Amino acid sequence: MDLNSASTIVLRVLTQATSQDTAVLKPAEEQLKQWETQPGFYSVLLNIFTNHALDINVRWLAVLYFKNGIDRYWRRVAPHALSEEEKSTLRAGLITNFNEPINQIATQIAVLIAKVARLDCPRQWPELIPTLIESVKVQDDLRQHRALLTFYHVTKTLASKRLAADRKLFYDLASGIYNFACSLWNHHTDTFLQQVSSGNEAAVQSSLERTLLSLKVLRKLTVNGFVEPHKNMEVMGFLLGIFERLKQFLDCSRSIGTDNICRDRLEKTIILFTKVLLDFLDQHPFSFTPLIQRSLEFSVSYVFTEVGDGVTFERFIVQCMNLIKMIVKNYAYKPSKNFEDSSPETLEAHKIKMAFFTYPTLTEICRRLVSHYFLLTEEELTMWEEDPEGFTVEETGGDSWKYSLRPCTEVLFIDIFHEYNQTLTPVLLEMMQTLQGPTNVEDMNALLIKDAVYNAVGLAAYELFDSVDFDQWFKNQLLPELQVIHNRYKPLRRRVIWLIGQWISVKFKSDLRPMLYEAICNLLQDQDLVVRIETATTLKLTVDDFEFRTDQFLPYLETMFTLLFQLLQQVTECDTKMHVLHVLSCVIERVNIQIRPYVGCLVQYLPLLWKQSEEHNMLRCAILTTLIHLVQGLGADSKNLYPFLLPVIQLSTDVSQPPHVYLLEDGLELWLVTLENSPCITPELLRIFQNMSALLESELSSENLRTCFKIINGYIILSSTEFLQTYAIGLCQSFCELLKEITTEGQVQVLKVVENALKVNPVLGPQMFQPILPCVFRGIIEGERYPVVMSTYLGVMGRVLLQNTSFFSSLLNEMAHKFNQKMDQLLGNMIEMWVDRMDNITQPERRKLSALALLSLLPSDNSVIQDKFCGIINISVEGLHDVMTEDPETGTYKDCMLMSHLEEPKATEDEEPPTEQDKREKMLALKDPVHTVSLQQFIYEKLKAQQELLGEQGFQSLMETVDTEIVTELQEFLQGF
């Protein structure tokens, strides 16, 4: 591509590519795509985006195409890779001038230089770092800033490389430039601090920007540039100096307004200081040891004393708390139970921690956390009144939750209380003691203090197990507080029911639960929405608990379910509806069929909610989960839901519909439970199986694929003839494709479906899955090497041989032609391999099936079968050992796999009642030879028939081929016949 002639053409096409008119835009994009692999194209782009006279949008697009080209064509091994000559020219051009006037384009240029550096620096681009270092020294403000911006992105990119050789190069780079980077940062920082008092906002902002960029460079070099940073005086000097710099910057915040750009940049710089410490602690815990004392002193003074008043801000407090938490929890600082087994570094760090966290310090931190940071703020109380659902979402982990102060303080409290519980338990118990009895509703401060202390008691529930008689406290203190209905008492009603939820799985007597259920019923009618939502949460924790008893809960079920449904209708936020639906699902799941009288209102409401939630896929996931439990609870009655249920399954499992990305897993689970509880097949239920072909062709997770196979089995069990006649051909094609490419486990899952179809429908099954059976036969003959696959092959072939002899004969004939062998010879080889690989079969049912299948070849005068007679008897005796149990009273043997119509296992109270599919499987088992034919009697009859066919002498000769020990065991099993 000639640069002079090409520049004009490329510039015109880039201009067209910025058009809003798709008729102009699309052809331009196609042309640019074709040019991506043309030599000289990226040189033209470089000339365009470095020409400041051109349109900004065109230059922006040129930078993006250049950046994408680096990803695709810069590596030497890439298809259509750029030539070394052109790359050399481009590298030189990229660092000729750092004078880009547009911030966004300057950032993109810095990023693309960093991308090239990742691949070429320092070997092919040794001049990059020296050029950057020289450029950040210049006096021109723009050039200095752009060079510093590039320096940061290059450092960041090189620091992220993880191969050992790359790490070594970065260590060398860091050692070489660290002193310069420190000097640069100190220079810009001092300049900023001097200019703060000048009142020149532009100058302050400019120097602060450079301070921030140079600190970002130092962060990467400090954290990633040294193997043992504590041995480098410059590194430790920088880190120890952070605390003084932080103090200076925090003091500056007093003189900078709260709502200008400088304030935002100042806070970002302060946060960056804390990130340096947190990252260094995370990556180099032992190198951090000299900083432990100073970090704790600094953080505790600013967060828990008056030192921080007027200068701290929320994100800074969060970072300081994270620093304290990481030091407290750091595994590297925890000695072994036997101190002598701990490293000297660990013991030193532990000693520093213990010296700092004295009783007065811990007590003050605990009291300050509870009495200051746990208090509900004015802002939170206002939100409670104006947006109660928004308040509950924030409290339970909204989008901004992990960066906000409240959860951070709670996590720090839990970690410190866990680490120092012997010291802090008496402190918290004393705070509890001062709050006994009711609180004056007019004293809002007292109410909020009690709320905060109860919060602490709930968070520390596991640590307080031996110190608090919660059952007595519940009866004497908490229950009466729940009965105070005054509006100003609602924070405590909400906190108390939350507190009970925290203790329910820790320490709560079972016989107190009816009292709790009574209280929950009352609170679900509370005038305050937040209280009702919190009560629903505690109800979920209660029914999820290990000690939950259905009999205690049933008297309150109707009331609770009605009130939960009313709450579901009342709330409007998607997150809240999801939460309440989840509680309803848990209740339905635990009480199972007992829910049937009360679900009518919910069943009528869910279609409306589904329609309203078209844009909210996560809410639809919650609806699917609720439907799963509803179907399980309704059993066969769930058929009445089909007009709503089946279209929902259809949409959720249709991979051509965008929502399937969110709904598929729950949709498949709903499809499966719908089948399991269906009393009979319907045309609509059969029709949704049309989705399965595309599902099997898509890239499903192994879990979803397993569910698909269960669904297919469900259809086979529900209505094998109708299902196989409708879908078996397409299903067989899908299976044949799957068997070529899926894992061994996947192959076994496919073959199990085939085996099940043969078992359920021995006439139609082999015909429908005929294309797969030659593969199974070949696998047996060739001795499939994976035992689990071989076991399944033998299970499939056992079904064909035992239950459809004529089909087996035609299959044997077909395979004899393919192997170019005689049928008898091939049959002999198959029996021999079957006998040889019998140990691959571990399931007793399949082992008995093998014995029955091979015995079904008798009686026979076929010389090949007689030649394999010994092996057939060996397998039969093995099968007898597997299935025969001795009756201790009569001393006779009995086949333990035999089932009868009279056998009805009694379900215990905790067991779920059998589904419709369970009943169908029981009926099918009553037709299955494995469960209806006595192996003992079958062997006797087959041997007797063989004896009659050959005569006494011929039969005796045949028996002599069997090992005498096996014969003896066989005779013992056949006593009485």
Side-chain angles (χ1 to χ4, degrees), residues 170-190:
F170 191 69
Y171 295 150
D172 293 342
L173 171 66
S175 306
I177 68 171
Y178 196 84
N179 186 35
F180 168 75
C182 273
S183 301
L184 185 71
W185 171 68
N186 275 313
H187 166 71
H188 288 307
T189 303
D190 290 336

Side-chain angles (χ1 to χ4, degrees), residues 289 292-293 296 332-335 339 343-358 420:
T289 301
I292 291 176
Q293 176 81 15
L296 290 172
Y333 301 159
K334 292 187 178 180
F339 263 56
S343 69
E345 295 85 356
T346 297
L347 292 175
E348 183 187 356
H350 179 68
K351 183 180 175 183
I352 296 169
K353 271 175 56 180
M354 294 304 291
F356 179 81
F357 285 112
T358 60
Y420 302 103

Side-chain angles (χ1 to χ4, degrees), residues 78 82 139 176 193 932:
L82 277 75
Q139 295 304 307
L193 293 170
T932 56

Side-chain angles (χ1 to χ4, degrees), residues 390-496:
F391 174 82
T392 59
V393 170
E394 281 290 315
E395 284 285 296
T396 54
D399 291 340
S400 60
W401 188 80
K402 74 177 198 177
Y403 297 112
S404 60
L405 187 55
R406 179 167 297 283
C408 185
T409 58
E410 291 179 352
V411 170
L412 178 61
F413 174 82
I414 291 167
D415 290 337
I416 287 185
F417 205 95
H418 175 75
E419 191 75 11
Y420 302 103
N421 63 79
Q422 289 186 329
T423 303
L424 293 177
T425 294
V427 176
L428 189 53
L429 291 177
E430 182 194 332
M431 295 170 86
M432 284 175 61
Q433 287 298 323
T434 62
L435 299 173
Q436 292 300 323
T439 303
N440 184 353
V441 294
E442 301 302 324
D443 189 346
M444 196 62 190
N445 188 55
L447 291 172
L448 294 179
I449 288 285
K450 183 179 269 192
D451 173 84
V453 173
Y454 283 5
N455 187 14
V457 175
L459 294 172
Y462 285 97
E463 309 296 337
L464 295 173
F465 178 86
D466 293 321
S467 306
V468 174
D469 185 345
F470 191 80
D471 297 328
Q472 284 299 316
W473 197 40
F474 169 75
K475 287 189 291 187
N476 300 335
Q477 173 80 13
L478 301 181
L479 208 51
E481 299 218 72
L482 290 177
Q483 292 159 357
V484 180
I485 59 171
H486 196 285
N487 185 52
R488 290 170 68 93
Y489 219 77
K490 66 187 179 187
L492 274 181
R493 289 199 299 277
R494 171 227 174 210
R495 179 61 69 191
V496 168

Side-chain angles (χ1 to χ4, degrees), residues 309-324:
D309 293 351
V311 295
T312 57
F313 52 96
E314 186 170 298
R315 186 79 195 278
F316 172 71
I317 295 172
V318 167
Q319 292 291 91
C320 287
M321 287 185 173
N322 285 337
L323 190 57
I324 298 169

Side-chain angles (χ1 to χ4, degrees), residues 241-257:
I242 281 180
F243 302 103
E244 184 57 36
R245 288 299 199 190
L246 261 172
K247 183 176 181 302
Q248 292 172 337
F249 274 68
L250 285 164
D251 288 342
C252 285
S253 65
R254 297 181 195 272
S255 55
I256 293 180

Side-chain angles (χ1 to χ4, degrees), residues 344-393:
E345 295 85 356
T346 297
L347 292 175
E348 183 187 356
H350 179 68
K351 183 180 175 183
I352 296 169
K353 271 175 56 180
M354 294 304 291
F356 179 81
F357 285 112
T358 60
Y359 176 79
T361 301
L362 286 169
T363 303
E364 183 57 32
I365 290 173
C366 179
R367 290 188 184 279
R368 182 86 170 172
L369 278 170
V370 176
S371 64
H372 178 72
Y373 289 107
F374 280 12
L375 291 181
L376 287 169
T377 64
E378 279 296 326
E379 185 183 355
E380 287 171 323
L381 291 169
T382 302
M383 189 178 189
W384 184 325
E385 293 298 332
E386 295 176 357
D387 182 14
E389 290 185 56
F391 174 82
T392 59
V393 170

